[in-house]
């Protein structure tokens, strides 16, 4: 019974506003409170000897911000950037403090208010598949949106690597 109450409490705490976006034809959502701004693609300065999903850094009004390509981070095929491709600047919880990071997405969709009863727990895929970066599954009308915990998309080691590029 305790597990059921804990699951209900977690689902309730996940309700709120989400920025939805598209990656490889699938819709994802990020907590809107983590989003600082959405910008079109800028020139990204590549950083040598970083993983392929780390695109480099941008200069945003005097701040150097690391940028990752979410498609590549999730193991999806690379795609040429177009007029709909953009960078979502997020505030990520690092080990010691908050940091700004840009994530490249195919296209922004909309901002949705998702209630607790529209959020299902993340399905189990077995022990070989890590899904701790997924907050849950948003069921909106006849679609499912994968709700991400942006603080867990990168491991602490990867976050350290990305933050050391700035």
């Amino acid at each position: 019974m305790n597990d059921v109450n804990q699951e209900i409490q977690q689902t309730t705490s996940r309700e709120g506003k989400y920025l939805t976006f598209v990656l490889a034809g699938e819709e994802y959502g990020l907590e809107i409170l983590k989003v600082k701004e959405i910008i079109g693609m800028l020139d990204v300065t590549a950083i040598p000897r970083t993983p392929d999903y780390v695109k480099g850094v941008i200069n945003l009004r005097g701040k150097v911000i690391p940028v990752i390509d979410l498609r590549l981070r999730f193991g999806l095929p690379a795609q040429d950037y177009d007029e709909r491709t953009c960078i979502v600047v997020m505030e990520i919880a690092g080990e010691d403090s908050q940091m700004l990071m840009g994530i490249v997405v195919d296209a922004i969709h909309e901002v949705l208010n998702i209630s607790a009863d529209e959020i299902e727990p993340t399905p189990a895929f077995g022990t070989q598949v890590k899904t701790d970066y997924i907050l849950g599954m948003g069921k909106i009308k006849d679609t499912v949106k994968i709700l991400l915990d942006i603080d867990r998309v990168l491991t602490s080691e990867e976050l350290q690597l990305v933050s050391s590029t700035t």
Side-chain angles (χ1 to χ4, degrees), residues 3-160:
D3 289 343
V4 173
N5 289 338
Q6 186 178 9
E7 195 169 290
I8 290 169
Q9 188 177 19
Q10 284 178 336
T11 303
T12 303
S13 69
R14 294 176 186 151
E15 73 181 351
K17 290 193 183 299
Y18 287 84
L19 173 71
T20 62
F21 61 91
V22 178
L23 275 183
E26 296 296 329
E27 285 197 49
Y28 295 81
L30 294 166
E31 293 174 276
I32 196 75
L33 295 175
K34 297 270 189 183
V35 176
K36 294 302 165 198
E37 81 183 271
I38 301 164
I39 56 176
M41 282 304 298
L42 300 174
D43 286 332
V44 179
T45 303
I47 304 293
R49 301 179 65 176
T50 57
D52 63 343
Y53 62 85
V54 177
K55 299 316 293 174
V57 295
I58 58 172
N59 180 349
L60 186 63
R61 291 184 297 284
K63 282 190 178 177
V64 176
I65 299 171
V67 175
I68 67 165
D69 188 317
L70 211 50
R71 254 181 178 271
L72 300 178
R73 175 64 185 102
F74 288 164
L76 300 169
Q79 176 177 298
D80 289 338
Y81 299 151
D82 61 25
E83 68 280 348
R84 297 193 64 204
T85 307
C86 56
I87 299 172
V88 181
V89 179
M90 308 284 304
E91 189 168 64
I92 309 290
E95 280 190 15
D96 303 327
S97 63
Q98 301 282 15
M99 67 177 275
L100 292 178
M101 182 169 64
I103 59 169
V104 178
V105 300
D106 293 353
I108 296 297
H109 193 250
E110 62 186 331
V111 174
L112 289 175
N113 197 14
I114 303 177
S115 63
D117 63 333
E118 294 175 309
I119 300 174
E120 291 274 327
T122 306
F125 294 102
T127 57
Q128 298 299 312
V129 180
K130 280 187 57 154
T131 58
D132 60 336
Y133 61 92
I134 300 176
L135 280 174
M137 301 292 166
K139 302 177 302 179
I140 293 81
K141 297 181 183 151
D142 293 330
T143 66
V144 174
K145 298 179 188 333
I146 302 167
L147 306 179
L148 300 176
D149 181 347
I150 196 63
D151 294 330
R152 293 181 170 207
V153 166
L154 296 178
T155 65
S156 57
E157 292 82 23
E158 291 168 327
L159 265 178
Q160 224 170 10

